[in-house]
Structures are given as C-alpha cells and as structure tokens.
Amino acid sequence: MGSFINGKVCSPCSVVCAECKDNADNCTSCPATTFPSGSTCSKCKYPCANCGKSNDDCGTCVDGYYISGNQCIPCTYPCSKCDSASSCSKC
C-alpha cells in the first residue's frame, strides 16, 4: 500500500489504491485484481486475475481458466491449469 504527502507527513493510501496522490482515495495505480475506475480502483470480474480498462477486460486468469483475447475460458476437465482448450499443464 502506498502513501501520499499530507502537509509535511506521509499518510497511507486507501486500501483500494496501490498508490495515491493528494488524498487517500485519489488512486494513481491499482493493486492486482483491480482496475482504474475514475480516481479509484474497482474489482475485476471473476475469473480475471487482473484486468485492464473494465472489470471484464481480462489480462490473466485464475487457475482453471485460460486467456483467449481478453476473456477467461474454463479449462477442459480434468485440467486444473491450462494454456488453451487443448493444452493442460496441471491435473
């Protein structure tokens, strides 16, 4: 969690921000599993592990899913981790 200059002291950013400026809720960067939404950070939509400009613009996926474009697609059973529909990396 980041901090910002508040007068002559450092104050912590809000828990939703990785970094902030001028006040605790003015996020300048967001932690993993969130994305910038105005001056704050919002949660990515499951199963995105991280996302870009919206909650369903996935960059990576949680285990059990693989990325295809900007969407998370479920692995084929019995894979618990995969790189594509036909490439299982963990059972």
Side-chain angles (χ1 to χ4, degrees):
M1 182 166 54
S3 58
F4 68 99
I5 298 292
N6 187 0
K8 293 190 182 251
V9 298
C10 292
S11 295
C13 296
S14 166
V15 295
V16 299
C17 302
E19 302 280 334
C20 64
K21 184 178 180 181
D22 300 328
N23 67 64
D25 297 314
N26 185 24
C27 303
T28 57
S29 68
C30 299
T33 73
T34 66
F35 69 100
S37 179
S39 64
T40 191
C41 299
S42 297
K43 285 214 169 270
C44 297
K45 187 176 181 181
Y46 185 85
C48 296
N50 68 39
C51 54
K53 296 177 183 176
S54 67
N55 69 344
D56 61 355
D57 178 25
C58 303
T60 59
C61 306
V62 298
D63 284 353
Y65 294 80
Y66 66 94
I67 193 79
S68 178
N70 65 347
Q71 300 297 307
C72 292
I73 310 297
C75 296
T76 305
Y77 182 82
C79 289
S80 62
K81 193 171 187 179
C82 61
D83 300 314
S84 69
S86 60
S87 178
C88 188
S89 57
K90 186 177 179 184
C91 296

